[in-house]
């Protein structure tokens, strides 16, 4: 290189038993399950997806909140639909009300499908990014997706890890979920032996 030029960092660094990729934009090594979001212009830990409706990424610190949002959204739409049906007059139905109920039904189906998909991700200990881009992710592409997530454990443990991974989660709950923090305060994920998903998780995955 030229004299005085800052030497480029290696694209991959080994930390413990795992490899970390170098992000050229953020100038840092990405922990496992981290992805650079070009919309947010930053690296997001346990990256799930960028949500255009919320205008931000869904990742390690807000995945449980996003799941609660989906549950409440589906519940709200279901309540509106039931109330609307009760208000329809059989003899003189309101066209506006019928059209509104059809729209609510469409939105409910969409939100329920999204909720079902994220329930599968929760139980399988996967993210949307990992599920869709498995063969393109450095730490997953050499593994078989049929054998399940290398981060997965039992369904109970997966639910605990999903809910207790945010940095704002109390330390006592993080210990119950057997989660460790790294030097930056985030969840320290480690690759482990893959466990084939059980019938419930497999059924959800086949229908998502």
């Amino acid at each position: 290189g030229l004299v005085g030029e800052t030497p480029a960092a290696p694209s991959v660094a080994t930390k413990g038993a795992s490899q970390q990729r170098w992000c050229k934009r953020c100038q840092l090594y990405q922990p496992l399950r981290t992805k650079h979001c070009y919309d947010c212009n930053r690296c997001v830990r346990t990256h799930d997806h960028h949500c255009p409706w919320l205008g931000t990424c869904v990742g390690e610190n807000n995945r449980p909140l996003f799941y609660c949002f989906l549950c409440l959204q589906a519940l709200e739409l279901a309540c509106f639909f039931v109330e609307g049906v009760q208000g329809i007059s059989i003899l003189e139905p309101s066209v506006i009300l019928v059209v509104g109920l059809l729209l609510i039904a469409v939105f409910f189906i969409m939100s329920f499908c999204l909720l079902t998909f994220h329930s599968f991700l929760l139980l399988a200990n996967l993210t949307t990014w990992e599920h869709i881009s498995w063969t393109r992710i450095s730490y997953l592409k050499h593994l078989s997706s049929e054998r399940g997530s290398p981060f997965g454990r039992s369904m109970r443990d997966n639910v605990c890890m999903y809910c207790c991974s945010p940095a704002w989660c109390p330390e006592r709950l993080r210990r119950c979920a057997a989660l460790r923090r790294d030097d930056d305060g985030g969840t320290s994920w480690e690759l482990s032996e893959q466990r084939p998903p059980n019938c419930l998780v497999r059924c959800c995955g086949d229908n998502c």
Side-chain angles (χ1 to χ4, degrees), residues 77 80-81 84 94-107:
L77 290 168
F80 283 160
F81 184 81
S94 170
V95 176
I96 296 178
L97 181 56
V98 171
V99 173
L101 287 174
L102 290 176
L103 289 175
I104 290 176
V106 171
F107 288 134

Side-chain angles (χ1 to χ4, degrees), residues 6-13 21-24 27-29:
T6 302
S11 58
V12 177
R21 296 176 303 169
W22 174 257
C23 177
K24 296 180 180 179
Q27 295 293 297
L28 53 77
Y29 284 107

Side-chain angles (χ1 to χ4, degrees), residues 17-144:
S18 61
Q19 291 184 332
Q20 295 185 343
R21 296 176 303 169
W22 174 257
C23 177
K24 296 180 180 179
R25 289 179 174 268
C26 296
Q27 295 293 297
L28 53 77
Y29 284 107
Q30 298 175 331
L32 276 178
R33 313 189 84 175
T34 300
K35 179 181 181 295
H36 184 87
C37 175
Y38 292 96
D39 294 298
C40 295
N41 195 31
R42 62 187 176 90
C43 287
V44 179
R45 302 184 69 123
T46 319
H47 181 275
D48 191 273
H49 70 285
H50 181 87
C51 181
W53 309 111
L54 299 179
T56 188
C57 272
V58 176
E60 184 170 298
N61 286 326
N62 62 356
R63 281 196 307 169
L65 301 178
F66 180 74
Y67 188 83
C68 290
F69 167 75
L70 293 178
C71 292
L72 294 175
Q73 193 71 47
L75 179 61
E76 180 185 33
L77 290 168
C79 291
F80 283 160
F81 184 81
V82 171
E83 290 183 2
V85 170
Q86 292 175 347
I88 291 180
S89 174
I90 299 178
L91 298 178
E92 296 180 359
S94 170
V95 176
I96 296 178
L97 181 56
V98 171
V99 173
L101 287 174
L102 290 176
L103 289 175
I104 290 176
V106 171
F107 288 134
F108 172 77
I109 293 172
M110 293 171 59
S111 62
F112 184 76
C113 289
L114 194 57
L115 177 60
T116 302
F117 175 63
H118 278 273
S119 296
F120 155 71
L121 297 176
L122 183 157
L123 297 175
N125 202 337
L126 284 170
T127 65
T128 301
W129 172 53
E130 291 171 341
H131 181 66
I132 295 176
S133 306
W134 185 288
T135 56
R136 300 197 302 271
I137 299 176
S138 60
Y139 58 85
L140 293 178
K141 61 185 179 182
H142 64 285
L143 302 173
S144 171

Side-chain angles (χ1 to χ4, degrees), residues 32-33 124-126 130 134 139-140 142-145 147-153 189-195:
L32 276 178
R33 313 189 84 175
N125 202 337
L126 284 170
E130 291 171 341
W134 185 288
Y139 58 85
L140 293 178
H142 64 285
L143 302 173
S144 171
S145 59
R147 293 187 56 81
S149 169
F151 306 103
R153 300 174 190 169
W189 295 104
E190 295 180 356
L191 293 170
S192 59
E193 184 179 353
Q194 290 176 276
R195 297 185 179 186

